[in-house]
Amino acid sequence: AVLAADAMGAITNIDPNSKAVVLSDGYTYALAASVPLSSVQIGEQDTVTYDADASGKRTASAVKSTPGA
């Protein structure tokens, strides 16, 4: 089973075509259908809750703004 994990950082890039974001940790997170693209913006400090599959692809199930974190 895959366990959810959290990553914190600023969003440095948003790819609307693949519905993915890049965090300042350098990882790309695909947004789950439950996470609207409109809920994220570049430069925002966020906590991303994600699952990683066997290939290492990270899928974000939640993105929460965490200003000042």
Side-chain angles (χ1 to χ4, degrees):
V2 178
L3 298 176
D6 286 338
M8 290 177 64
I11 293 177
T12 59
N13 191 37
I14 298 172
D15 182 347
N17 295 324
S18 62
K19 200 179 174 207
V21 299
V22 179
L23 266 194
S24 54
D25 64 3
Y27 286 103
T28 299
Y29 299 87
L31 300 180
S34 60
V35 182
L37 199 58
S38 60
S39 70
V40 296
Q41 58 188 23
I42 289 178
E44 183 176 79
Q45 282 285 102
D46 286 322
T47 299
V48 176
T49 301
Y50 70 92
D51 294 309
D53 67 14
S55 69
K57 179 180 177 183
R58 295 177 177 210
T59 300
S61 57
V63 178
K64 292 187 192 136
S65 179
T66 49

